[in-house]
Amino acid sequence: DGFSGGGMTGNLLTGSDGLTTGWSAVNGGAGNAPVTVTGITDPLGGTNAVQVTFAIGSGTTNSDYSQYRQTLTPGVGIYTLSSWVKACSGTATFNLSNGGLEGQAFTVGATWQRIFSTAQTSSGTSQIWLGLSGWTTPAAGTQCLDIYGAQFTPGIAIRSEEHTSELQSLRH
């Protein structure tokens, strides 16, 4: 539909809209398994988003995590991971890794934002993840996110700096 792709082509992820097929809910150490609710209103007004609660308690090591992961074999190159994300309420801080950047932190508010992370992968296999990790997450504890339209695409994302106007223009 052009919306989920953010103008990029060649999404390598499966189960992009609802973190379904191809994604694994994982946890370790002080982390709890992510709790997922389906049928959440997505940025287009449909019900294809998911609400995920990630929790690592007071965990502060790389053994403490609550994440959704997908493993890919895209080959060496530059790739961009992106997704529409919003906090369930207030703000939420979380990490994502696109295989080249380990645990890049993002903070989002309660309106849909498209987040982007671009990096060089130096091996043929990339583990993509979104959630909390004790050694990189600035705000440990529990974070609740609505997530829609995850993409992992070759190249560098070209995007507008104003996410809400981009979203509004696509909805009208």
Side-chain angles (χ1 to χ4, degrees):
D1 64 11
F3 179 74
S4 297
M8 297 178 286
T9 60
N11 185 14
L12 302 175
L13 295 174
T14 58
S16 289
D17 288 345
L19 300 181
T20 55
T21 306
W23 291 92
S24 299
V26 297
N27 65 291
N32 295 326
V35 176
T36 305
V37 177
T38 60
I40 301 300
T41 302
D42 62 52
L44 294 174
T47 55
N48 294 311
V50 293
Q51 185 172 87
V52 183
T53 301
F54 299 101
I56 60 169
S58 58
T60 59
T61 72
N62 63 351
S63 298
D64 305 313
Y65 56 89
S66 174
Q67 303 167 349
Y68 263 100
R69 293 182 186 171
Q70 190 169 140
T71 301
L72 303 171
T73 310
V76 175
I78 296 174
Y79 295 90
T80 298
L81 175 63
S82 64
S83 185
W84 287 98
V85 181
K86 72 180 187 82
C88 298
S89 65
T91 61
T93 299
F94 64 98
N95 295 105
L96 69 90
S97 173
N98 68 1
L101 287 176
E102 183 65 34
Q104 187 175 6
F106 290 88
T107 299
V108 294
T111 58
W112 287 105
Q113 290 181 256
R114 188 140 185 102
I115 53 148
F116 296 85
S117 174
T118 300
Q120 172 83 31
T121 60
S122 58
S123 70
T125 302
S126 292
Q127 187 173 82
I128 308 306
W129 61 265
L130 185 143
L132 302 181
S133 178
W135 68 283
T136 60
T137 303
T142 301
Q143 302 290 309
C144 181
L145 300 168
D146 290 351
I147 303 167
Y148 173 78
Q151 301 270 316
F152 187 71
T153 57
I156 298 172
I158 305 298
R159 63 179 173 90
S160 78
E161 291 301 317
E162 182 53 56
H163 301 292
T164 53
S165 66
E166 179 180 272
L167 175 60
Q168 289 168 351
S169 68
L170 290 168
R171 289 189 71 181
H172 296 295

